[in-house]
Amino acid sequence: MTKEQQDVQNEETQQTEPEVVAEGELETSAEQAEQAEQAENEKDQLIETLQSQLAAAERTVEEQKDSVIRAKAEVENVRRRATLDVEKAHKFALEKFSSELLPVADNLERALQAADSDNEQLKPLIEGIELTLKSFESTIAKFGMEIVSPEKGDALNPELHQAMSMIPDPEVEPNKIINCLQKGYTLNGRLLRPAMVMVAAGGGVDTKA
């Protein structure tokens, strides 16, 4: 090979080498771009998965919060009902016993009504009955019992009074009480026995006069 031929070959080699290097760089850049795109896609998928898990966790927390609130409300309701039941048991445990005591008060009152207050010999006995009745009423009041004893002219209250008869009375307005035949009693606001009363019928006093 002559020197001229060798120089030509060297020039051709120098011209092709840069082209090989350029193609290698392009392949490397393409691979890096593909890897970067793949990494971005994986990051997006990871973010989407984490957001979905976070949303599910938040829903679970809200459901559990509602369950806790409902459970707490139910516990409070049970506790309140239990407290009311205990209070009622305490208040009305003596209801039956108290009802059995009412005839005692009735008999003492009948004895006073039947006694001859003008008889000097009976006065000590009458005073003793009166003191006994007062002591009885004072004792039962300590346990929440109250006497229902309407006066003449009071309005009829069906929740506390039982009308035994209705008669005209010119001194009393219609549907007003004329007389209390038997006292009633309540225990802690609960009716044990209604008061038995006589009520004025129509034809009473003229309220316009």
Side-chain angles (χ1 to χ4, degrees), residues 64-75:
Q64 292 178 348
K65 185 187 297 183
D66 292 340
S67 299
V68 170
I69 292 174
R70 287 194 296 269
K72 184 177 180 181
E74 183 63 24
V75 170

Side-chain angles (χ1 to χ4, degrees), residues 1 25 56 63 73 85 102 113 116 121 148 156 168 178 183 187 189 191:
M1 179 182 295
E25 292 179 351
E63 292 174 358
D85 290 341
L102 300 185
Q113 293 173 358
D116 185 5
Q121 295 180 351
V148 180
L156 179 68
I178 298 176
K183 293 179 180 179
L187 176 62
L191 185 66

Side-chain angles (χ1 to χ4, degrees), residues 79-94:
R79 183 180 301 168
R80 190 179 300 109
R81 287 194 295 268
T83 302
L84 291 176
D85 290 341
V86 171
E87 289 179 356
K88 288 181 180 179
H90 287 164
K91 283 184 178 180
F92 306 116
L94 297 176

Side-chain angles (χ1 to χ4, degrees), residues 4-102:
E4 294 179 354
Q5 291 176 343
Q6 187 175 1
D7 292 339
V8 171
Q9 186 176 0
N10 290 336
E11 289 179 359
E12 291 177 353
T13 302
Q14 291 176 358
Q15 291 177 356
T16 55
E17 285 181 356
E19 293 180 357
V20 173
V21 173
E23 289 178 358
E25 292 179 351
L26 289 174
E27 291 178 357
T28 302
S29 298
E31 290 177 358
Q32 291 176 349
E34 185 178 353
Q35 291 175 356
E37 184 179 358
Q38 184 177 357
E40 187 69 22
N41 292 335
E42 291 177 355
K43 184 177 70 174
D44 293 340
Q45 291 178 357
L46 178 60
I47 292 174
E48 185 177 352
T49 301
L50 292 175
Q51 288 177 340
S52 178
Q53 292 176 352
L54 177 60
E58 289 176 346
R59 287 194 298 269
T60 301
V61 170
E62 289 298 326
E63 292 174 358
Q64 292 178 348
K65 185 187 297 183
D66 292 340
S67 299
V68 170
I69 292 174
R70 287 194 296 269
K72 184 177 180 181
E74 183 63 24
V75 170
E76 290 297 326
N77 290 334
V78 171
R79 183 180 301 168
R80 190 179 300 109
R81 287 194 295 268
T83 302
L84 291 176
D85 290 341
V86 171
E87 289 179 356
K88 288 181 180 179
H90 287 164
K91 283 184 178 180
F92 306 116
L94 297 176
E95 183 173 353
K96 184 176 181 180
F97 177 71
S98 300
S99 298
E100 296 295 330
L101 292 178
L102 300 185

